[in-house]
Amino acid sequence: MHDIRSTTRTLLRTAALPALGALLLTALPAPAAHAASTLANTGFEADGTGTATPSGWSTYSATGNNNASYSEAGGHSGGYRLSHWSSSAYKVQTYQYLSGLANGTYTLTAWVRSSGGQNAAYLALRDCGGAEQRTDLPPTRNGRWIRLVTSVTVTSGQCTISLNSDAHAGEWANLDDLTFTKGGTGLAIKGGDVSTLAKNEAFGATYRSANGTSGDALAILRASGMNYARLKVWVNPADGYNTKARVAAMAKRAKAQGMKLLIDFHYSDSWADPGKQTRPAAWAGHDYSRLKQDVYDHTYDVLSALKAQGTTADMVQIGNEINGGMLWPEGSTSNFSQLAGLLTSGANAAKAVSSDTRVALHLAKGGDNGGTRWWFDQAVAQKVPFDVIALSYYGYWHGPLSDLQANLDDVAARYGKPVLVAETAYAHTLANDDGLANNVATADQLVDGYPATPAGQAANLRDVMNVVEAVPGGRGLGVVYWEPAWTAVKGSGWDPTDPGSGNAWENQALFDYGDKALPAMDWFGHR
């Protein structure tokens, strides 16, 4: 019996997109003559331990070792699970063929765990009348289960549900508690924060598509599937970027590409985040009452300018990563009633410009359910109006994917609101491309199972997107990648007061050090 808790093997993630299916034999043997219209033995409880082909399922191995698929003790909810494992390299599929289905959209849901490192490990819906749909299993060496979904449109009255592994010796996958139900999933928002793009371009940055063709970074991102542009707004920054005028110019470019617009108000002259929420210099001596008016006026002014030029914001953040509040000290969470007043003022201004603009409240607490609950409980108690719960999630700071999933699932249900990962990113290398050390610079900072390679970066983004897509009730709005185009260019550093400051983020951009689009970018085109 294979026990995942004893697994300590080094993980190497593959980041190929759905073309990975070429690694497995996708043509299955002829289906059973008496296929059912509903999944059987979805929890693998019918047969006990050691059954190579559980009841209701078929097994096929391109490498001839069908016993690499078997049921064993240790289920997600019941007593048993399906496992894929072998002491030698293997390719195996465990599948059911369904027929007599009413045509329409269906979703496969499964709970999974995986060692990572496989050539491929995924859920697949195939032979349903259209293109095969799949979702890759993330590495979960901590032993925690992750819920995944895969949707497909059935047009032929039939569909094959397939659980697949193409693995090296000793690599494993666990699967359990499957459902196949009517309804679809997907991500409405597949975005990127391109706030620094204009400054990068001004200092000479160039960009190339994956095939090496030079082009506009925004157009390259859009062609890959990015459908939302996030732009931060500072009040009076020293370098003159991220101002109302600069944001308006970039908003025109984004809307011209067919993108929607998320405006991120920092209410500062520079970076606002969990460690600092410094008020703009122009508001320095203002008391709480005046600050409420400042927030309203500034928010209304920027959003009205966008609307006037035909680029109305589709969503706004009232504050950026406001774990501890904003406009300290008046807007600190230590006085939540005053913070609530500031947030309400900004939200009211946004709705006054356009009632269709969604208001998001944004915390950097992707994996912190207790902290997220506490904060939003206060906001709800103070009757702060909002439409979206937005969270930052960086796996190297905010914990494993299972923590992100638990938090998203809980707060979406608790507050009845859609959830958005408003910031995420991952390194494609640990090398440095300028004189400033990177935020993620050493191997011990990396997330277990995701190397700092183009493939590891792509896998990390893919798996974050898959977790958001799986939020129940269709409440997983999507994912925004933070600063995909902020490559290392002299003059375009992090500090608006220091032209010589460097970039600590270039190894997490979605363009490599030769300015070429990286594979992770392709995931913007996923479902």
Side-chain angles (χ1 to χ4, degrees):
M1 182 182 301
H2 179 59
D3 185 346
I4 68 162
R5 290 170 296 183
S6 66
T7 302
T8 59
R9 298 166 182 86
T10 300
L11 304 183
L12 300 172
R13 286 306 285 171
T14 173
L17 296 173
L20 266 175
L23 295 171
L24 292 184
L25 183 62
T26 56
L28 296 172
H34 302 289
S37 59
T38 57
L39 273 179
N41 195 16
T42 57
F44 305 97
E45 300 296 314
D47 306 288
T49 296
T51 303
T53 304
S55 299
W57 295 88
S58 300
T59 303
Y60 175 71
S61 173
T63 49
N65 46 347
N66 281 18
N67 60 1
S69 171
Y70 54 92
S71 58
E72 65 175 338
H76 167 254
S77 63
Y80 298 93
R81 68 194 182 211
L82 178 74
S83 288
H84 287 175
W85 179 85
S86 177
S87 59
S88 59
Y90 64 96
K91 298 181 182 181
V92 70
Q93 303 178 55
T94 310
Y95 65 96
Q96 281 192 47
Y97 168 75
L98 303 182
S99 65
L101 297 171
N103 288 340
T105 303
Y106 290 80
T107 295
L108 173 69
T109 303
W111 287 88
V112 307
R113 298 188 293 196
S114 169
S115 66
Q118 300 97 327
N119 295 318
Y122 59 92
L123 315 173
L125 298 173
R126 56 169 64 106
D127 303 324
C128 308
E132 175 182 315
Q133 297 295 315
R134 63 176 59 180
T135 300
D136 296 87
L137 275 58
T140 55
R141 284 177 54 176
N142 60 12
R144 298 179 187 175
W145 294 87
I146 295 285
R147 186 186 60 257
L148 297 178
V149 295
T150 307
S151 292
V152 73
T153 300
V154 172
T155 60
S156 59
Q158 62 185 26
C159 195
T160 298
I161 287 78
S162 182
L163 316 175
N164 307 267
S165 292
D166 176 359
H168 309 102
E171 293 169 348
W172 53 267
N174 299 154
L175 306 106
D176 203 3
D177 293 339
L178 280 72
T179 63
F180 187 68
T181 55
K182 292 294 289 289
T185 64
L187 297 177
I189 296 176
K190 292 166 283 188
D193 188 314
V194 290
S195 298
T196 311
L197 176 58
K199 186 174 182 180
N200 245 39
E201 291 171 331
F203 284 93
T206 59
Y207 300 92
R208 297 187 295 147
S209 65
N211 66 13
T213 303
S214 296
D216 175 3
L218 206 58
I220 293 170
L221 289 161
R222 179 64 183 124
S224 74
M226 196 177 93
N227 64 4
Y228 247 86
R230 182 179 186 245
L231 300 171
K232 68 172 173 275
V233 185
W234 289 338
V235 176
N236 188 25
D239 63 359
Y241 287 89
N242 303 301
T243 60
K244 179 178 73 171
R246 295 281 191 176
V247 167
M250 186 57 74
K252 281 186 176 181
R253 288 176 60 182
K255 290 280 189 173
Q257 290 289 343
M259 297 179 182
K260 291 188 175 181
L261 195 60
L262 167 55
I263 300 299
D264 174 16
F265 285 97
H266 282 227
Y267 302 111
S268 181
D269 292 334
S270 186
W271 303 97
D273 55 44
K276 53 188 176 298
Q277 295 284 333
T278 306
R279 68 179 65 194
W283 305 357
H286 296 183
D287 61 12
Y288 169 64
S289 178
R290 179 68 183 277
L291 286 172
K292 282 200 300 181
Q293 191 64 48
D294 290 333
V295 168
Y296 187 97
D297 292 345
H298 173 62
T299 307
Y300 188 90
D301 179 47
V302 172
L303 296 180
S304 293
L306 293 174
K307 182 179 180 179
Q309 67 174 13
T311 60
T312 300
D314 299 281
M315 187 184 298
V316 300
Q317 287 178 214
I318 306 302
N320 185 76
E321 295 190 329
I322 50 176
N323 301 12
M326 65 185 201
L327 293 169
W328 291 342
E330 283 79 4
S332 167
T333 51
S334 63
N335 190 341
F336 214 104
S337 64
Q338 289 196 171
L339 172 59
L342 296 169
L343 295 172
T344 299
S345 186
N348 288 344
K351 293 294 187 179
V353 174
S354 171
S355 60
D356 293 331
T357 296
R358 289 192 284 187
V359 171
L361 301 180
H362 174 217
L363 306 182
K365 287 185 174 290
D368 179 4
N369 182 236
T372 304
R373 266 193 177 208
W374 178 86
W375 199 99
F376 277 96
D377 279 355
Q378 310 308 309
V380 169
Q382 296 286 342
K383 297 182 170 52
V384 177
F386 66 98
D387 305 305
V388 174
I389 295 170
L391 299 172
S392 294
Y393 174 75
Y394 300 97
Y396 43 80
W397 289 332
H398 297 135
L401 282 171
S402 53
D403 286 353
L404 173 66
Q405 181 163 81
N407 195 19
L408 294 177
D409 290 358
D410 178 68
V411 298
R414 184 176 181 85
Y415 306 107
K417 303 287 187 181
V419 290
L420 171 70
V421 171
E423 293 185 21
T424 195
Y426 201 73
H428 62 82
T429 180
L430 292 178
N432 197 2
D433 200 31
D434 68 4
L436 181 65
N438 291 327
N439 286 334
V440 175
T442 60
D444 61 355
Q445 294 176 277
L446 299 176
V447 179
D448 198 12
Y450 301 97
T453 63
Q457 181 190 56
N460 187 267
L461 176 58
R462 176 200 70 201
D463 293 345
V464 171
M465 294 175 79
N466 286 342
V467 163
V468 177
E469 185 183 6
V471 174
R475 288 193 173 121
L477 270 184
V479 174
V480 178
Y481 197 93
W482 199 74
E483 291 286 8
W486 194 8
T487 54
V489 181
K490 187 176 181 180
S492 184
W494 71 272
D495 187 349
T497 69
D498 179 7
S501 61
N503 178 358
W505 201 259
E506 76 271 13
N507 68 326
Q508 297 190 70
L510 295 185
F511 293 89
D512 66 17
Y513 290 175
D515 304 323
K516 188 175 178 181
L518 286 158
M521 198 183 296
D522 291 336
W523 284 103
F524 290 132
H526 181 58
R527 273 201 294 279

